[in-house]
């Protein structure tokens, strides 16, 4: 036990202090502490500056101590700190890096970011998610010669190793679950097409309908509304105004399902009046686990496995293609 406590103390000394970050950014220690602990209300620019300083100081300290670096690239967006989906993947990456003797450095991709700044003194790169991590950016990273693994993203050529859950299978599984419960009018709440994982979930939805001889009704597939944080809210309102509503809905993510539930509650619908299933299994963080079914995406395992394959690539044993980890159905705890 004493050794474990010492290990925790040593780990804490390796991290940049609040004072160091405050000195570098010019913000007060109180502001730095609140941002790092995901409290308070600050502009995206302030949060980015503080997080970037933390990453740079971590990078400098790791180099000074002779530790090997793995840089994780992820699109920056306003709700990143509260997103349990990517947060769990990053936790898996960080955990496996520590186990294998590497230091994880997190960098945020923004419009106009200089990709060359991410390539200095790193042993390998993990590009996480889609959005601003476009095919063009992936090509740039690949041609840098630094070992690269994609997570929750992939190239259609399969020429770069990618690790992700089976999002197509998740969409199929969710839709087939609703079909098995007797539904024939099944709506789909869509997501932004810039994320390949969400496009694959839609493809799985379509395939399940076809497999069971059911038509793909365009009116049951929502447009993707840009409604800030409340994903799924406007999409469900769109479905509720149809003269013939769906009896069940597959929401492309749990966050979209939470917004859909809000719209259903405002419309006076009772639980189960329109059956809803999400995807990701992050409902526990929102108190929704007992209300809706979902598909569990093994996010921690995805993060850990991406590091294992990247370390092999760093050692010269690079692979290409896709490593796909299946999801599983998670029923409401009330059932």
């Amino acid at each position: 036990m004493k050794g474990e406590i010492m290990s925790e103390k040593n780990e804490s000394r390796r991290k940049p202090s609040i004072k160091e970050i405050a000195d570098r950014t010019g913000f007060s220690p109180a502001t730095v502490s609140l941002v790092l602990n995901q409290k308070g209300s600050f502009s995206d620019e302030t949060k980015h500056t503080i997080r970037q300083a933390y990453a740079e100081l971590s990078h400098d300290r790791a180099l000074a101590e002779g530790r090997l670096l793995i840089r994780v690239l992820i699109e920056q967006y306003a709700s990143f700190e509260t997103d349990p989906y990517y947060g769990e993947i990053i936790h898996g990456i960080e955990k496996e890096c520590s186990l294998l003797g590497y230091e994880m450095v997190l960098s945020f991709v923004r419009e106009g970011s200089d990709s060359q700044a991410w390539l200095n003194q790193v042993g390998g790169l993990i590009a996480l998610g889609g959005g601003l991590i476009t095919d063009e950016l992936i090509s740039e990273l690949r041609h840098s010669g630094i070992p690269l693994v994609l997570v929750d993203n992939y190239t259609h050529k399969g020429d770069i190793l990618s690790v992700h859950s089976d999002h197509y299978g998740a969409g199929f599984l969710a839709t087939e679950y609703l079909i098995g419960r007797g539904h024939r009018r099944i709506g789909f709440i869509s997501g932004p097409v810039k994320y390949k994982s969400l496009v694959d979930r839609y493809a799985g939805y379509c395939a399940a309908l076809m497999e069971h001889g059911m038509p793909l009704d365009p009116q049951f597939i929502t447009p993707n509304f840009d409604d800030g944080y409340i994903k799924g809210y406007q999409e469900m309102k769109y479905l509720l105004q149809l003269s013939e509503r769906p009896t069940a809905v597959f929401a492309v993510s749990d966050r979209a399902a939470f917004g859909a539930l809000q719209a259903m509650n405002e419309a006076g619908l009772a639980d189960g009046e329109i059956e809803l299933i999400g995807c990701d299994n992050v409902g526990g963080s929102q108190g929704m686990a007992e209300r809706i079914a979902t598909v569990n995406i093994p996010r921690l395992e995805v993060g850990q496995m991406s590091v294992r394959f990247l370390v092999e690539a760093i050692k010269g044993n690079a692979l290409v293609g896709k490593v796909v980890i299946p999801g599983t159905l998670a029923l409401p705890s009330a059932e």
Side-chain angles (χ1 to χ4, degrees):
M1 181 64 70
K2 185 176 180 180
E4 292 176 7
I5 294 173
M6 287 298 294
S7 175
E8 289 175 4
K9 288 182 178 178
N10 289 339
E11 181 70 21
S12 68
R13 282 200 295 268
R14 286 164 52 185
K15 296 183 182 298
S17 69
I18 288 175
K19 183 179 184 304
E20 288 175 314
I21 299 170
D23 289 344
R24 175 166 290 205
T25 62
F27 291 110
S28 70
T31 296
V32 171
S33 178
L34 287 169
V35 169
L36 293 180
N37 288 287
Q38 302 174 17
K39 297 178 180 178
S41 179
F42 300 96
S43 69
D44 291 344
E45 190 64 33
T46 296
K47 290 186 286 188
H48 171 76
T49 300
I50 290 172
R51 289 190 304 233
Q52 192 65 36
Y54 179 91
E56 290 170 356
L57 287 165
S58 297
H59 179 278
D60 294 345
R61 183 163 298 180
L63 287 176
E65 295 176 3
R67 285 178 277 125
L68 298 170
L69 298 178
I70 287 176
R71 188 181 301 278
V72 178
L73 303 175
I74 185 171
E75 176 187 42
Q76 180 178 341
Y77 56 100
S79 60
F80 172 77
E81 302 94 330
T82 57
D83 188 333
Y85 181 83
Y86 284 122
E88 185 75 357
I89 294 176
I90 290 170
H91 177 62
I93 292 172
E94 189 169 27
K95 183 177 180 180
E96 197 68 16
C97 280
S98 178
L99 182 66
L100 297 178
Y102 287 78
E103 181 78 8
M104 185 197 83
V105 177
L106 190 63
S107 295
F108 298 95
V109 179
R110 312 173 83 194
E111 291 283 359
S113 291
D114 178 11
S115 62
Q116 293 301 310
W118 302 320
L119 307 179
N120 297 327
Q121 298 175 306
V122 294
L125 297 166
I126 293 175
L128 171 56
L132 293 177
I133 301 181
T134 60
D135 290 347
E136 291 75 20
L137 176 57
I138 290 170
S139 179
E140 284 183 42
L141 298 175
R142 178 174 180 264
H143 285 98
S144 73
I146 295 174
L148 170 66
V149 169
L150 307 179
V151 177
D152 245 28
N153 203 336
Y154 55 85
T155 62
H156 290 288
K157 291 181 180 179
D159 54 347
I160 302 173
L161 183 69
S162 64
V163 180
H164 54 88
S165 184
D166 183 2
H167 296 289
Y168 173 90
F172 191 99
L173 185 62
T175 308
E176 193 167 58
Y177 167 77
L178 295 175
I179 294 171
R181 290 175 65 83
H183 296 287
R184 293 297 177 266
R185 299 199 309 275
I186 300 174
F188 178 77
I189 292 180
S190 63
V193 296
K194 63 181 180 178
Y195 300 106
K196 293 188 179 93
S197 58
L198 304 187
V199 174
D200 288 349
R201 292 176 187 183
Y202 170 66
Y205 159 82
C206 296
L209 294 179
M210 293 178 62
E211 177 79 14
H212 291 271
M214 297 169 58
L216 183 65
D217 192 336
Q219 71 171 339
F220 288 158
I221 302 166
T222 71
N224 179 235
F225 296 96
D226 184 9
D227 192 41
Y229 182 76
I230 309 178
K231 298 180 183 297
Y233 177 79
Q234 292 291 352
E235 287 84 350
M236 179 55 83
K237 291 184 72 173
Y238 167 87
L239 292 173
L240 292 178
Q241 57 82 37
L242 296 174
S243 57
E244 186 177 44
R245 295 173 175 174
T247 62
V249 173
F250 168 38
V252 75
S253 67
D254 282 348
R255 284 182 63 194
F258 305 154
L261 275 176
Q262 182 176 332
M264 291 164 63
N265 290 338
E266 289 180 5
L269 274 68
D271 278 4
E273 192 168 341
I274 293 179
E275 188 162 6
L276 186 63
I277 187 169
C279 194
D280 293 333
N281 198 19
V282 300
S285 64
Q286 304 287 334
M288 296 292 183
E290 73 282 358
R291 298 185 63 184
I292 64 170
T294 186
V295 178
N296 179 59
I297 299 299
R299 305 180 301 282
L300 187 72
E301 186 178 356
V302 166
Q304 291 174 312
M305 192 167 290
S306 69
V307 176
R308 293 172 201 160
F309 280 104
L310 181 59
V311 169
E312 285 301 309
I314 292 170
K315 293 177 179 178
N317 304 317
L319 300 174
V320 295
K322 295 181 182 180
V323 177
V324 181
I325 306 173
T328 54
L329 195 64
L331 299 179
S333 56
E335 286 194 4

